[in-house]
Amino acid sequence: MLRERALAKRQPAGEDAAGPSRHNAGVPAPDRPLNDTLARLRAGELTNATRLDLRHCGLTELPPEVLALADTLEELDVSHNALTTLPDGLARLTRLHTVFASFNRFTALPAVLGRLPALDTLGFKGNAIAEVPPDALSPSLRWLILTDNRIPTLPATLTECWRMQKLMLAGNRLDRLPAGFERLQRLELLRLSANRFARVEDALPEALLVLPRLAWLAHAGTPYGAAREQAAAHADATPVAWSDLQLEHLMGEGASGLIHAARWLPAGAPASDVAVKVFKGAVTSDGLPQSERAATLAAGRHPHLVGVLGVLTGHPQQTDGLVMPRLGPQWAPLAGPPSMATCSRDVYAPGLRLTQEHVTAIDRAATAALDHLHARGLTHGDLYAHNLLVDGQGGALLSDFGAASFLPDGDTARADALRAIDRRALQVLRGELAAHTAP
């Protein structure tokens, strides 16, 4: 869909990335092997460290030296190891506010996590978690990532996490949500895609839909919406043969796929520069690639959408893909995605100031694109400045359908509520645009 900066959306730390990548005394410098941190920890060289990065260290248990940092440690990343449990002594780390343990071998969320009084951000993506004990969820949680596990049910204590702002549950085995969601008054972003909800009311109860701050919601890839997605996936679309494409270079990598620059050389037609997105096939923080593909096709064409030219056919590994327009070098995202600090708010370039004319044009483009999607029976689910591509002249295109979902058939009240959630994201965008408008 675009050039490198414009389409390869940066992944927010802690979501499809394993966790934070910041460096300090407790984290190795970029040119130092990651497991050197473990050696330094065991040698007693990291006394008073506030951040500790132990990714890819081959750990089967948490080193006891971590517990010796009880008075100082604030951030711990043990992703990409072989851990199955965490010690009870972890509860002594009263300053610990961020824990990442993605891509390990946990089958249950460790109960000790619920006894961390300062815990704010917790990431356990890509384990084999099938149980979330009621006492494993600290009431102080603001950001919880349980993407791509095997969780069939969630405890009612989830709704006691009154600070919850961002909740990532895609790629599990949920068939209903716990009662009491109306307590999560601060929830802004929710990912429910790729679960086992048989009925729309199981995934989207009224208590969820009326939350006052909810602005970014994904619920595709579930049994109740399967028919709509399958119909969209098999709708008429221009087939683009792999053999008619000349791949040039990798433009970038998003959560759901690789984006290549290419030349499209259709028989009997002029060649053109395109972007080819080849899906990875794995669940992302937003949901499933096939759901993204279906939504992209269902969205059709619009002056303020990046759009799609055709569907990839004949890939050597039978991989799905889309062929999209390749935009010129003047197109770039309006902002960067949320950071660890901003959680659910985009990060704008320091000092960015937009003319009122450009702000008005961007607002109109985003509104028109969203209205178009709603009329096509879709919500975008991720209307952010980092998904708006701008050309510096007032032009704007909405991209990225990874969180897009189909509106439920025959349920006017629920469909209206879902559109209202999308429009709340638009209101957030307008506030950000106003804050970056030149005087």
Side-chain angles (χ1 to χ4, degrees):
M1 32 191 148
L2 345 158
R3 73 191 209 93
E4 183 172 352
R5 283 190 305 157
L7 187 63
K9 183 180 80 173
R10 290 173 290 167
Q11 298 176 26
E15 291 183 26
D16 286 301
S21 57
R22 290 165 287 179
H23 301 283
N24 79 334
V27 181
D31 59 349
R32 177 180 290 162
L34 279 171
N35 59 9
D36 184 54
T37 302
L38 180 59
R40 296 175 63 212
L41 175 69
R42 288 174 170 165
E45 298 177 8
L46 300 182
T47 304
N48 298 326
T50 59
R51 302 174 185 147
L52 198 58
D53 188 338
L54 296 175
R55 292 173 295 166
H56 298 284
C57 287
L59 299 175
T60 57
E61 60 181 22
L62 192 71
E65 292 83 0
V66 173
L67 305 183
L69 302 175
D71 294 332
T72 61
L73 193 64
E74 298 176 1
E75 300 180 16
L76 174 65
D77 192 344
V78 289
S79 299
H80 295 283
N81 283 291
L83 298 172
T84 58
T85 61
L86 293 176
D88 286 344
L90 194 70
R92 299 201 302 270
L93 278 68
T94 57
R95 298 172 63 91
L96 189 61
H97 60 70
T98 299
V99 177
F100 285 99
S102 297
F103 308 108
N104 276 279
R105 299 178 185 175
F106 293 94
T107 58
L109 194 66
V112 66
L113 297 167
R115 303 199 299 274
L116 291 171
L119 191 59
D120 175 272
T121 301
L122 182 64
F124 272 69
K125 178 183 178 180
N127 281 275
I129 295 173
E131 180 187 4
V132 179
D135 53 354
L137 298 175
S138 172
S140 61
L141 278 171
R142 183 178 60 122
W143 184 352
L144 176 61
I145 305 163
L146 294 175
T147 309
D148 193 16
N149 280 288
R150 303 173 185 175
I151 302 168
T153 185
L154 292 165
T157 51
L158 174 66
T159 66
E160 297 172 9
C161 300
W162 61 275
R163 298 180 66 244
M164 191 68 71
Q165 185 174 338
K166 197 167 185 176
L167 182 55
M168 322 294 290
L169 300 173
N172 279 287
R173 300 177 182 179
L174 299 172
D175 59 11
R176 62 181 48 81
L177 296 175
F181 246 75
E182 66 276 5
R183 298 174 189 152
L184 301 181
Q185 293 286 298
R186 298 189 180 189
L187 187 64
E188 296 184 349
L189 186 147
L190 176 62
R191 297 298 186 241
L192 296 173
S193 300
N195 274 288
R196 296 184 177 180
F197 302 107
R199 304 182 305 163
V200 65
E201 54 265 37
D202 294 329
L204 305 173
E206 182 180 355
L208 185 156
L209 296 175
V210 299
L211 290 175
R213 299 188 186 181
L214 186 60
W216 300 279
L217 172 64
H219 58 96
T222 56
Y224 69 77
R228 291 285 303 278
E229 289 191 26
Q230 290 170 5
H234 292 93
D236 291 338
T238 302
V240 179
W242 180 258
S243 57
D244 289 342
L245 295 168
Q246 289 183 352
L247 264 61
E248 295 176 349
H249 61 274
L250 182 67
M251 296 173 65
E253 180 176 358
S256 62
L258 302 171
I259 303 100
H260 299 267
R263 289 281 287 171
W264 183 16
L265 306 169
S272 59
D273 292 330
V274 296
V276 179
K277 183 168 188 175
V278 180
F279 290 110
K280 298 175 183 177
V283 66
T284 72
S285 61
D286 290 333
L288 295 169
Q290 54 264 40
S291 297
E292 178 182 345
R293 179 181 182 272
T296 303
L297 294 174
R301 296 194 178 188
H302 185 271
H304 296 298
L305 295 179
V306 171
V308 62
L309 300 175
V311 175
L312 186 64
T313 63
H315 188 277
Q317 282 78 47
Q318 301 303 308
T319 304
D320 285 339
L322 295 172
V323 178
M324 299 163 287
R326 195 194 321 176
L327 303 182
Q330 73 275 24
W331 292 92
L334 177 59
S339 67
M340 291 295 300
T342 64
C343 187
S344 61
R345 292 294 189 271
D346 275 344
V347 179
Y348 287 76
L352 175 68
R353 289 293 178 264
L354 302 168
T355 67
Q356 183 60 60
E357 180 183 10
H358 286 176
V359 167
T360 300
I362 294 168
D363 186 338
R364 288 175 177 170
T367 301
L370 198 62
D371 288 346
H372 169 79
L373 294 179
H374 290 175
R376 302 278 293 189
L378 291 164
T379 55
H380 188 270
D382 209 22
L383 179 57
Y384 269 109
H386 70 260
N387 284 327
L388 274 172
L389 309 177
V390 295
D391 64 358
Q393 303 299 317
L397 298 171
L398 182 59
S399 69
D400 195 339
F401 287 82
S405 308
F406 285 90
L407 293 169
D409 286 325
D411 193 335
T412 302
R414 201 166 256 108
D416 287 346
L418 291 168
R419 293 188 189 98
I421 291 170
D422 247 4
R423 287 193 289 271
R424 193 172 293 129
L426 181 61
Q427 287 301 118
V428 172
L429 174 67
R430 286 170 174 163
E432 293 172 349
L433 289 172
H436 290 88
T437 302

